[in-house]
Amino acid sequence: CSNNRKSRRNTIDKIKGLNQEIEHKALLLHEAQSNNDDEELQALKASLDIIQKELQKYKKSDTLTAFFDSDIYKLFKNIGYKGNNKITSEEWETMYRLFNSTFSSYTDFIHSGKSMTEDQIKVCMLIRMGFGESEMASILDVDLKRISRIKMQINQKFFGVYNAKDLVENLNKVF
């Protein structure tokens, strides 16, 4: 827990430092524009682009850390391992909201004009969260054969492959 806080603190500090660096480069950029210094302008734009990409990487990392540290994810993980409870519709709604805000491009992909059942959407989400088949079966309160059938259906819809085993690999290629 202490290491997670330290890591998160380091990430926040890095984000703050990158924001300060962006502000400084923006001032230099304005100055170069005022002086009509095209060479300096191009160098600053390139530098600013690199810093902004690095900032996005850290922000994404911080978002993922927050997702995997969330109580709702921990509840899903606990049920996936122990299988002693059932996830309520309210808990699924909470997970949908958090998942959609964290993995928006993935969510867009699984809703991209394909007719998906609720179970297929849930399996796609659970795959993205790193759950294995037995954990998915516990979370969805179904047997392993049902998980395999759902994965096969998803793989058929998105990748034209009629098997379950390649789905995770196929999704990982996209994301």
Side-chain angles (χ1 to χ4, degrees), residues 85-96:
N85 289 325
K86 208 171 177 187
I87 295 176
T88 67
S89 58
E90 292 82 17
E91 291 164 339
W92 270 110
E93 279 302 314
T94 301
M95 178 53 82
Y96 280 132

Side-chain angles (χ1 to χ4, degrees), residues 4-158:
N4 283 344
R5 270 188 291 227
K6 185 184 259 187
S7 174
R8 189 166 182 128
R9 183 77 236 148
N10 288 341
T11 300
I12 291 169
D13 290 344
K14 184 67 175 175
I15 289 170
K16 284 180 183 177
L18 289 169
N19 278 327
Q20 290 173 344
E21 199 172 338
I22 287 172
E23 286 177 26
H24 177 71
K25 296 284 184 185
L27 288 172
L28 293 174
L29 190 65
H30 180 71
E31 204 174 282
Q33 284 174 327
S34 297
N35 296 336
N36 291 325
D37 188 345
D38 289 338
E39 194 174 304
E40 179 69 14
L41 200 55
Q42 292 305 320
L44 284 168
K45 282 182 181 179
S47 176
L48 196 53
D49 187 48
I50 290 168
I51 295 167
Q52 287 173 328
K53 285 179 182 172
E54 187 175 353
L55 178 62
Q56 288 305 321
K57 180 181 75 176
Y58 276 97
K59 283 184 177 179
K60 184 175 182 176
S61 168
D62 193 45
T63 301
L64 288 174
T65 299
F67 177 86
F68 290 112
D69 283 346
S70 70
D71 290 339
I72 192 69
Y73 174 79
K74 289 175 184 175
L75 171 74
F76 273 60
K77 199 71 173 162
N78 187 39
I79 291 172
Y81 283 138
K82 296 181 181 174
N84 56 356
N85 289 325
K86 208 171 177 187
I87 295 176
T88 67
S89 58
E90 292 82 17
E91 291 164 339
W92 270 110
E93 279 302 314
T94 301
M95 178 53 82
Y96 280 132
R97 282 193 304 276
L98 180 60
F99 186 90
N100 291 341
S101 67
T102 306
F103 303 105
S104 60
S105 62
Y106 187 84
T107 301
D108 291 345
F109 175 78
I110 63 176
H111 291 292
S112 64
K114 307 289 182 195
S115 177
M116 299 280 283
T117 67
E118 187 174 338
D119 281 347
Q120 289 170 343
I121 291 168
K122 287 176 178 178
V123 167
C124 283
M125 290 171 59
L126 294 170
I127 287 170
R128 182 64 179 95
M129 289 186 266
F131 290 103
E133 286 189 3
S134 60
E135 294 169 309
M136 288 184 228
S138 293
I139 291 168
L140 294 174
D141 197 25
V142 298
D143 62 33
L144 283 170
K145 285 184 180 182
R146 177 77 181 126
I147 296 298
S148 186
R149 277 193 305 276
I150 292 169
K151 286 175 66 178
M152 189 172 16
Q153 293 164 350
I154 296 166
N155 215 9
Q156 173 73 33
K157 284 182 182 187
F158 285 109

